[in-house]
Amino acid sequence: MRAFLFIPSRMSKLITLNEFILKNQSDFPFATGELSRLLNDIAVASKIVSRDVRKAGLVDHILGAQGEKNVQGEDQQKLDVVADLAFIKAFELGGEVCGIASEENDDFLAFSNEISKNGNYVVLFDPLDGSSNIDVNVSIGTIFSIYRRLSPKGTPATEEDMLQCGTAQVASGYVLYGSSTMLVYTTGNGVNGFTLDPSIGEYCLSHPNMKMPENGRLYAMNEGNINECEGGLKEYISYCQSRENQTGMPYSGRYIGSLVADFHRNLIKGGIYIYPDVLSAPEGKLRLLYECNPLAFIAEQAGGLASTGRKRILEIKPERLHQRVPYYVGSKTMVEKAVSFLK
Ligand code: AHM
Ligand code: MG
């Protein structure tokens, strides 16, 4: 019997993140290759974190049973601290970054080595968002935001470098450690998504030029907080659950409790994510610099919106590193509608 070899007539060429970054280097406002190298450093650090996330259950439940030290005799650390250190190390050794601020650290960090002091960028990031999901094998993510420094080159990074408006972001992105690991980023020229192919250890372009559907029928909010929310938001959630909305059917509630995962789903399928100010978190829960601004930049670049309910997120002048804000992000029409209920 003859065996037939099936050869697809049209195979598209695999584009790795590296190739894509190099190809698009000229999109960057200062096309010196520094931002390309920085994005590459982020990709490498995220692969390390992805590997650690994938074996988290083993470390906690099998290796961890041996005591507080792992097999190499090192102290075991929580995964969010491991992620924080992996990214900080990548930024410090990479040479493009003069300082960082991270959700895991009280204060910002100005790198003191000679190469880093000459770095032109600062990075603000949440190393592992969705920490309540780490132990239960639910998707978590890294979120990052990149700015050009304001302080003079060659000097230590300052707090002013960190407290810039979201509109000044040069690039932002996230890595989703989900059923696959994905890196999604923007440099202000559209949004592109890459999936990590574990067999070759490379991010490959899988979601070119991502656009958030203008409308949707998914809403994501911790409805346990509903009685602590302002009246307008309660009315908006009732509207979502009614047949009064444009679909004539109740929307579906989808809340993972992991911002990156909820945001990513809404980016692809259309929807809104809401974390309002509530009694237990009077300014909201999410952090402007590490969570809201980077995802707001991506949302807008993909055609969506991000608001506090009263103001465009990207236009807020940050006052504190760990500042929190109410957050409404997602499909344009849905965010506009939600905001209209608050007025
Ligand atoms: P974290 O940065 O401490 O993980 O907090 C942020 C997370 C988001 O990922 C998620 O959407 C939200 O907190 C969930 O909060 P809650 O459990 O209050 O609904
Ligand atoms: Mg977080």
Side-chain angles (χ1 to χ4, degrees):
M1 235 219 289
R2 281 189 66 179
F4 287 94
L5 185 63
F6 175 69
I7 302 174
S9 55
R10 235 180 111 247
M11 283 177 70
S12 48
K13 185 186 173 307
L14 208 68
I15 301 177
T16 66
L17 176 65
N18 248 333
E19 287 169 341
F20 185 87
I21 290 174
L22 287 177
K23 209 163 119 260
N24 291 283
Q25 194 161 299
S26 53
D27 292 347
F28 303 150
F30 308 87
T32 57
E34 293 165 280
L35 188 57
S36 302
R37 286 193 292 276
L38 172 49
L39 288 168
N40 195 47
D41 291 341
I42 290 174
V44 172
S46 75
K47 287 181 202 173
I48 293 169
V49 174
S50 177
R51 183 201 61 196
D52 289 348
V53 167
R54 301 282 169 229
K55 63 178 188 189
L58 289 172
V59 172
D60 282 350
H61 298 297
I62 299 176
L63 302 180
Q66 295 171 16
E68 285 182 7
K69 300 206 181 283
N70 66 14
V71 282
Q72 281 94 39
E74 297 159 345
D75 286 334
Q76 284 178 6
Q77 284 171 317
K78 286 185 58 131
L79 209 47
D80 35 13
V81 179
V82 170
D84 193 42
L85 293 176
F87 280 98
I88 291 177
K89 193 151 271 179
F91 296 137
E92 187 168 19
L93 300 179
E96 319 303 337
V97 175
C98 61
I100 60 101
S102 138
E103 196 186 293
E104 286 294 323
N105 301 297
D106 290 342
D107 213 346
F108 71 94
L109 206 62
F111 296 138
S112 52
N113 69 64
E114 283 312 310
I115 307 174
S116 299
K117 271 201 283 191
N118 284 311
N120 276 319
Y121 295 97
V122 293
V123 185
L124 291 86
F125 64 103
D126 181 353
L128 217 45
D129 178 66
S131 39
S132 62
N133 286 316
I134 294 175
D135 296 337
V136 291
N137 207 0
V138 172
S139 301
I140 44 183
T142 297
I143 314 174
F144 61 89
S145 187
I146 302 175
Y147 296 82
R148 280 187 76 82
R149 72 185 303 172
L150 300 173
S151 54
K153 212 173 158 163
T155 62
T158 63
E159 190 171 56
E160 201 200 354
D161 292 328
M162 310 291 160
L163 298 182
Q164 300 188 51
C165 272
T167 47
Q169 288 173 101
V170 172
S172 78
Y174 62 84
V175 182
L176 173 63
Y177 310 103
S179 46
S180 56
T181 296
M182 271 197 77
L183 188 153
V184 175
Y185 81 94
T186 182
T187 53
N189 194 17
V191 178
N192 290 284
F194 300 79
T195 302
L196 182 62
D197 180 339
S199 64
I200 54 170
E202 292 277 6
Y203 282 107
C204 301
L205 182 62
S206 52
H207 296 64
N209 195 19
M210 297 174 88
K211 294 286 173 219
M212 191 177 256
E214 205 171 311
N215 215 335
R217 48 174 312 280
L218 300 175
Y219 72 97
M221 181 188 144
N222 181 346
E223 286 184 77
N225 290 328
I226 196 73
N227 291 327
E228 299 200 347
C229 298
E230 62 182 289
L233 178 53
K234 286 183 192 163
E235 283 166 29
Y236 174 68
I237 296 297
S238 297
Y239 164 86
C240 292
Q241 296 167 341
S242 74
R243 292 177 179 261
E244 307 296 305
N245 60 59
Q246 90 287 351
T247 63
M249 290 287 286
Y251 293 163
S252 292
R254 292 279 186 279
Y255 188 67
I256 299 169
S258 202
L259 173 62
V260 176
D262 279 312
F263 178 87
H264 183 71
R265 182 201 54 240
N266 290 348
L267 174 59
I268 291 176
K269 294 193 166 179
I272 184 168
Y273 172 98
I274 301 172
Y275 209 113
D277 47 324
V278 287
L279 284 182
S280 53
E283 297 181 325
K285 178 182 182 186
L286 300 179
R287 268 102 344 177
L288 173 62
L289 295 175
Y290 317 117
E291 293 161 327
C292 302
N293 267 339
L295 297 185
F297 191 21
I298 293 197
E300 288 198 4
Q301 282 294 312
L305 286 181
S307 166
T308 63
R310 263 95 196 165
K311 193 172 177 172
R312 183 179 171 218
I313 290 288
L314 294 180
E315 287 175 7
I316 299 172
K317 173 75 190 101
E319 287 164 7
R320 299 179 308 280
L321 278 180
H322 297 282
Q323 186 171 341
R324 297 170 194 262
V325 289
Y327 202 39
Y328 293 71
V329 65
S331 292
K332 182 169 178 289
T333 310
M334 293 183 91
V335 174
E336 281 169 351
K337 190 72 183 177
V339 169
S340 75
F341 273 81
L342 305 179
K343 281 178 179 151

